Amino acid sequence: MQLMRIKIMTWNELIDIEKDQPYFIQLMNFLDTELQSKTIYPKKEDWFQAFHLTPLESVKVVIIGQDPYHGKDQAHGLSFSVKTSKLPPSLKNIYKELQIDLQITPPITGDLTPWAKQGVLLMNTVLTVEESKPYSHQQKGWEIFTTKVIEVLSQRKNPIVFILWGNHARSYKKWVNNSNHLVIEGPHPSPLSAYHGFFGSNPFSKTNDFLEKHNVSPIDWRIK
């Protein structure tokens, strides 16, 4: 994959470039066909929600997920986030670590929009999924687009924290090749791995320490 060399100033600029690429055209054709007979999550208007809520110039932190939740009323375009109080196991563990790290009482809601509005890009590497079929839209083209996103962010001068939980997210580390940024790696917060190094890893305080060190306002991780 060729590294992005054009200076991208907004997410819309990136999308405008990519939408004419053969892989992206093929991806959209695939999704149009799938929508005719299958239920796809999140809703079409939310496929790029992470980018609408967190403009490129505002990005301070990136939290990479894999693909959207595949159950009804869960995915809404932000990694790990749901708009309900019925929390998925991984998000429950993220909230537990938030309490361990910063003594923040776990929120009732799973909606992470307040993080996104502060500059936390909550991006899955695959932006859609078929209902009840996890990983069903892998290798359809989304990974090419989201890798371009990481490349664009890596080239920026302003310091950014990349939080990579689990092997899948960590595979994107190779696209972050700018010493201005901080990469925080760790186990995935899923119940299968959270007790193998995720709990007690302090990613939230480490992120804020780095931002403050570089004169960037820290993230208020509380969900009110």
Side-chain angles (χ1 to χ4, degrees), residues 182-195:
L182 173 66
V183 176
I184 295 176
E185 300 179 72
H188 195 277
S190 75
L192 294 175
S193 55
Y195 288 95

Side-chain angles (χ1 to χ4, degrees), residues 15-163:
I15 292 170
D16 284 344
I17 291 170
E18 295 305 300
K19 71 182 182 182
D20 294 327
Q21 301 301 313
Y23 86 88
F24 202 91
I25 294 170
Q26 188 175 355
L27 170 63
M28 291 299 122
N29 289 338
F30 162 77
L31 290 169
D32 285 343
T33 301
E34 292 290 287
L35 284 168
Q36 293 175 20
S37 60
K38 298 171 183 176
T39 299
I40 304 300
Y41 296 130
K43 297 177 182 178
K44 188 173 183 178
E45 59 264 30
D46 288 338
W47 290 355
F48 295 94
Q49 181 73 335
F51 307 100
H52 296 322
L53 289 174
T54 313
L56 175 56
E57 69 272 12
S58 301
V59 176
K60 302 176 182 179
V61 183
V62 183
I63 299 180
I64 295 181
Q66 190 158 358
D67 67 346
Y69 297 120
H70 53 87
K72 185 179 180 182
D73 297 327
Q74 289 187 302
H76 65 109
L78 304 179
S79 61
F80 295 105
S81 180
V82 292
K83 280 195 168 181
T84 67
S85 58
K86 188 176 181 181
L87 306 181
S90 291
L91 184 54
K92 284 183 181 178
N93 286 336
I94 289 172
Y95 283 174
K96 285 181 182 178
E97 175 57 22
L98 194 60
Q99 187 170 30
I100 293 168
D101 188 1
L102 295 175
Q103 293 75 56
I104 292 175
T105 301
I108 297 173
T109 178
D111 188 351
L112 302 180
T113 297
W115 292 1
K117 289 183 175 179
Q118 292 182 74
V120 181
L121 181 67
L122 297 160
M123 185 187 74
N124 288 310
T125 58
V126 175
L127 302 186
T128 57
V129 69
E130 183 182 341
E131 182 179 33
S132 302
K133 293 187 177 180
Y135 318 126
S136 51
H137 289 180
Q138 286 190 328
Q139 305 304 320
K140 302 297 184 182
W142 280 126
E143 294 94 338
I144 299 174
F145 174 75
T146 51
T147 295
K148 298 287 179 68
V149 169
I150 300 299
E151 290 178 1
V152 167
L153 289 168
S154 179
Q155 292 173 28
R156 292 183 71 79
K157 293 181 180 178
N158 57 298
I160 297 172
V161 180
F162 292 84
I163 298 178

